[in-house]
Amino acid sequence: MEKKVKISLILESFHNLEKAYADLKKLVSMGKEEFVKNKLVWDKARVDFNLAFESSMRPCRHLSVVYGLRTTSKDCLVKLGEHIGFKDLKNLQDLTNFYIEYRDPKKTVDPEELYHFLEQNIHVFKEYAKAVVEHIKKTTGNVLLIDFDLLRQKAKHVKDSVDKINFVLSVDLEEFKSKPMYYDRVKYFYQVAYDSLFDICKHLAPKFGIKKFGDDCLLKMVEHGIVSEEHKDRIIKMIKLKNKLISTWDIPQEELYENLRETKDWFEPLMKEIAVSLKNLLEKVSSSQKSPLRNNQEKEKDKKE
């Protein structure tokens, strides 16, 4: 069976790499004198370097399997780099050698040596990640790096959880109140449904150009026109219910019953609108990719004529 690239693994790893890289860059920008004299600074730099390297290695191990490369921790970055056409292989090997030599925080490293090494080499992390991402986009055609397996999985969690909520709420209020098991289970089902919908939002929001978001991810989708304005008040109620379930377990049974009877039917329309917007986005991206190709073909045709 053909092995597939796990998009979410790549994105998560390089997100962690990006954070570690930003911290390292900030520490190096302090200047050698201030860096060297502060042990807390160079201790943090070692931790950040290890995180950056390990965040690079995780997708490297995965892609080595996908591409059929035989690698070890000593040569994975270099062999994958060579496979994807990355030119700065020597620096990749330098990063690997330094990590292997000093990954144990107990091992002493001269702070000046550490500073100079980071100053000269940390840029390779960013360039390497970019090269890997571009290779994946090119070879898979998935230019937005959308994890369709993740979306399908989360959508199934939403549907299954809503079905279970419907089953529990098929009993009348009195029976619901008489059985604590109904109360406990339906709270769990709602949280799974909401968290799964939120995970879909969190994955897709950057693809739609939403750069800053938190718990308000779904509301940001309303702001950007990905889902219609009519969902705004519904989403606010869904968030409030979710937060209430997180912060307290003593929400009155009747209140929970009525809230869920209202909110359970809002999940599917939201997912459908997100799916439509995603389809439109993919068509737009596909069209923009074909346009340059079409223009080049027309230029070649004009030359021949």
Side-chain angles (χ1 to χ4, degrees), residues 201-259:
C201 184
K202 185 171 65 173
H203 180 66
L204 290 179
K207 322 301 181 185
F208 288 111
I210 304 174
K211 296 181 179 179
K212 292 184 179 180
F213 61 89
D215 293 341
D216 61 347
C217 185
L218 289 165
L219 289 173
K220 290 288 186 182
M221 285 198 160
V222 175
E223 288 179 21
H224 285 70
I226 297 153
V227 296
S228 56
E229 186 72 23
E230 67 181 89
H231 290 291
K232 183 175 181 179
D233 289 340
R234 295 175 179 178
I235 291 170
I236 290 171
K237 288 182 180 179
M238 292 168 77
I239 294 173
K240 284 182 178 178
L241 179 57
K242 163 67 176 176
N243 290 339
K244 198 164 190 176
L245 290 174
I246 290 175
S247 61
T248 179
W249 282 98
D250 60 359
I251 179 172
Q253 291 171 303
E254 186 171 345
E255 180 184 340
L256 178 63
Y257 184 87
E258 295 302 329
N259 280 343

Side-chain angles (χ1 to χ4, degrees), residues 175-216:
E175 185 175 353
F176 177 81
K177 291 166 66 176
S178 69
K179 296 185 178 179
M181 179 184 69
Y182 285 163
Y183 179 74
D184 292 336
R185 297 306 292 165
V186 82
K187 285 191 295 187
Y188 171 75
F189 296 146
Y190 177 79
Q191 290 184 68
V192 171
Y194 182 86
D195 288 345
S196 298
L197 178 60
F198 182 82
D199 287 341
I200 291 172
C201 184
K202 185 171 65 173
H203 180 66
L204 290 179
K207 322 301 181 185
F208 288 111
I210 304 174
K211 296 181 179 179
K212 292 184 179 180
F213 61 89
D215 293 341
D216 61 347

Side-chain angles (χ1 to χ4, degrees), residues 1-114:
M1 189 172 75
E2 184 182 0
K3 295 180 175 65
K4 293 171 61 177
V5 175
K6 296 180 180 178
I7 299 296
S8 290
L9 182 150
I10 303 296
L11 293 177
E12 180 186 353
S13 299
F14 284 158
H15 177 67
N16 291 334
L17 172 59
E18 185 178 19
K19 290 192 292 185
Y21 169 79
D23 286 344
L24 284 170
K25 193 174 179 181
K26 186 176 179 180
L27 293 173
V28 169
S29 69
M30 297 170 62
K32 186 177 82 169
E33 185 177 348
E34 189 172 350
F35 182 96
V36 169
K37 72 181 182 182
N38 192 332
K39 186 177 185 301
L40 290 176
V41 169
W42 37 276
D43 278 350
K44 183 176 185 335
R46 292 186 67 178
V47 171
D48 288 334
F49 176 80
N50 284 355
L51 176 58
F53 186 86
E54 288 156 11
S55 297
S56 301
M57 277 295 294
R58 189 180 176 212
C60 188
R61 294 189 191 97
H62 167 61
L63 292 172
S64 294
V65 174
V66 173
Y67 299 144
L69 305 176
R70 293 195 175 195
T71 63
T72 67
S73 58
K74 295 181 179 181
D75 61 15
C76 189
L77 295 187
V78 173
K79 284 190 174 180
L80 179 60
E82 187 175 19
H83 180 79
I84 66 175
F86 188 72
K87 295 180 180 179
D88 204 353
L89 298 179
K90 180 184 179 303
N91 284 78
L92 284 178
Q93 190 61 61
D94 289 344
L95 289 176
T96 301
N97 293 343
F98 194 88
Y99 172 79
I100 292 172
E101 178 72 17
Y102 295 114
R103 60 186 160 187
D104 185 353
K106 295 178 182 177
K107 184 161 186 178
T108 303
V109 57
D110 180 71
E112 287 195 24
E113 178 189 355
L114 175 63

